[in-house]
Amino acid sequence: MKKTSAQRHTRQKDAVLRALRGSSDFMSAQDLHQQMSQTGVEVGLATVYRQLKSMAESGDVDTIQLNGQQLFRLCEDHAHHHHLVCEHCGKTVEIEPPDELWVRKVAGEHGFIVHSHTLEVFGLCEDCRAAA
């Protein structure tokens, strides 16, 4: 059976995974690439984008939109989960999802059938509020 790019492990994919393991917060492809370059890992920015896109599609990384940027984070827990995200520093905390029945009830009240859902809660963490 032929492996897809999401399944295939390459040197570049392994390098991106190692770099992602070094951060518990969401980060942009550019920031990840810069971090990799600073540690001597030579991978092109386009390759970092490709690898992150592939890993997001396969569910190996989480992705969110924050301030007009797509950010990525390696989540070891592949179960369905949600996040609190600091809009200033990017600190991320995994939170319990809302009750699935609540999601379906709210959707049904508006004539929707749920196929999937995501929930990201954005705000300022305690440290950023204290610094302001």
Side-chain angles (χ1 to χ4, degrees):
M1 175 187 276
K2 183 178 178 183
K3 289 185 174 184
T4 66
S5 62
Q7 295 171 318
R8 189 176 55 219
H9 279 278
T10 63
R11 178 186 65 79
Q12 294 90 349
K13 182 176 183 176
D14 289 339
V16 170
L17 283 170
R18 276 192 307 277
L20 283 170
R21 283 189 187 102
S23 176
S24 61
D25 298 328
F26 283 92
M27 62 181 2
S28 69
Q30 297 92 337
D31 289 342
L32 183 64
H33 178 259
Q34 181 179 19
Q35 175 186 317
M36 292 172 73
S37 295
Q38 289 172 345
T39 60
V41 178
E42 294 184 23
V43 175
L45 180 58
T47 299
V48 171
Y49 271 107
R50 256 192 323 276
Q51 292 298 326
L52 289 170
K53 180 178 185 266
S54 172
M55 288 186 273
E57 289 171 353
S58 68
D60 291 331
V61 298
D62 285 342
T63 182
I64 61 170
Q65 292 289 325
L66 179 63
N67 300 325
Q69 274 192 309
Q70 186 173 14
L71 305 178
F72 302 88
R73 177 175 180 247
L74 182 65
C75 287
E76 300 296 335
D77 180 7
H78 291 287
H80 190 69
H81 59 277
H82 304 285
H83 306 100
L84 290 171
V85 181
C86 180
E87 295 172 310
H88 185 260
C89 71
K91 177 180 179 179
T92 305
V93 177
E94 289 188 12
I95 59 174
E96 289 295 317
D99 181 88
E100 190 71 27
L101 293 175
W102 176 83
V103 171
R104 295 187 187 287
K105 177 182 175 278
V106 169
E109 289 171 356
H110 296 279
F112 282 74
I113 295 175
V114 176
H115 293 160
S116 67
H117 72 274
T118 60
L119 176 66
E120 313 302 337
V121 180
F122 298 93
L124 293 176
C125 70
E126 186 175 21
D127 293 337
C128 290
R129 283 193 332 270

